[in-house]
Amino acid sequence: MTTVTTRTVEYPADGLTMIGHLALPAGVDRRPAVLVGPEGPGLNDFQRRRADALAELGYVALAFDINGGRWFTDPEEMLAHTTPLLADPDRMRGIGHAALDVLRAEPRTDPDRIAAIGYGTGGAIALELGRDGVDLRAIGTVNALTTGRPGEAARIRCPVWAGVGSEDPIMPPAQRDAFTAEMQTAGVDWRLVVYGGALHAFHHPPVDHTVRPGVGYHARHAERAWRDIVNLLAENLPVTE
């Protein structure tokens, strides 16, 4: 197994002190890098392990924070924090750019070869970086079919892959249609994968607190979605180039 080095990184964003998780592959050379964005409750060990898995594949990976180190266990408290954030593209971009600056400042990072992936709110932030014209090699999202301000998707400069559960009540067919229409109108190289029978947050293993209706884990589709993201990176951001 590849030796992975990890460390906690603190940085300011959105008026908070964010606590991210940086994972580095073995070696000393520069490598392509990936931002990993968490869902609304915050950064936890799930995304930290995703960053570690990407480092094992040879990427520099930063699992970034969106809640100032907090993990919201109360769904209502989480919604009170994330709903205004999701309605404010500039705030999302600020959080994304702060994390991107940390990733670019890492000496192991090749600053010209960066991708962004994200789940839920973190995926929305990845998309907003694209709509802000950031030079990314790929954007991959799960449960994040958010639309942006009119016309700004034309600034996306890389392929976009999106995954969603067919039974996700938070990302229903109308939301899928709006997202794909935006991508198509903007001329983006986009793909949407609908995972049959899956609910919202189908990718995330069960946690020990009450969740909202329509949220549930689907182990088989979670594995498939991760494989799809790895393939997206392999196609657009190969470790050796």
Side-chain angles (χ1 to χ4, degrees):
M1 180 180 292
T2 303
T3 302
V4 171
T5 303
T6 65
R7 70 172 185 268
T8 298
V9 290
E10 295 188 7
Y11 58 96
D14 201 37
L16 301 168
T17 298
M18 300 300 188
I19 304 173
H21 175 83
L22 183 69
L24 303 174
V28 296
D29 56 325
R30 284 194 166 188
R31 296 292 185 88
V34 184
L35 284 175
V36 182
E39 51 271 282
L43 177 60
N44 68 356
D45 284 343
F46 174 77
Q47 286 88 11
R48 294 185 187 101
R49 287 193 297 268
R50 288 304 193 213
D52 295 350
L54 289 171
E56 289 178 2
L57 294 173
Y59 297 98
V60 176
L62 174 64
F64 65 87
D65 186 9
I66 61 174
N67 295 334
R70 292 192 62 189
W71 168 265
F72 290 110
T73 58
D74 180 351
E76 296 306 317
E77 188 178 15
M78 182 271 291
L79 285 174
H81 178 80
T82 58
T83 301
L85 175 61
L86 288 168
D88 191 334
D90 291 327
R91 277 184 66 197
M92 287 194 283
R93 292 176 186 187
I95 291 172
H97 276 288
L100 189 61
D101 288 346
V102 171
L103 187 58
R104 283 176 170 157
E106 164 55 46
R108 295 290 308 283
T109 295
D110 180 343
D112 297 321
R113 299 174 65 209
I114 296 176
I117 67 172
Y119 300 85
T121 301
I125 289 170
L127 286 166
E128 282 305 322
L129 286 176
R131 293 185 183 108
D132 201 32
V134 173
D135 185 13
L136 298 170
R137 292 294 185 93
I139 296 171
T141 72
V142 179
N143 306 320
L145 302 182
T146 56
T147 51
R149 289 183 291 221
E152 292 190 341
R155 302 172 70 188
I156 295 176
R157 303 162 63 183
C158 64
V160 171
W161 176 93
V164 66
S166 69
E167 307 309 300
D168 184 342
I170 300 171
M171 300 286 163
Q175 184 66 24
R176 294 178 219 160
D177 291 345
F179 174 79
T180 58
E182 179 192 28
M183 295 295 111
Q184 185 65 21
T185 299
V188 175
D189 176 1
W190 65 272
R191 281 176 288 169
L192 173 66
V193 176
V194 180
Y195 296 95
L199 298 168
H200 191 69
F202 70 88
H203 65 280
H204 200 295
V207 291
D208 295 327
H209 63 80
T210 302
V211 297
R212 299 170 62 199
V215 174
Y217 181 54
H218 194 300
R220 187 179 303 113
H221 285 326
E223 181 180 342
R224 288 169 172 164
W226 175 246
R227 189 162 58 241
D228 285 344
I229 286 173
V230 170
N231 289 340
L232 172 78
L233 296 174
E235 177 185 348
N236 297 286
L237 190 69
V239 172
T240 57
E241 185 174 272

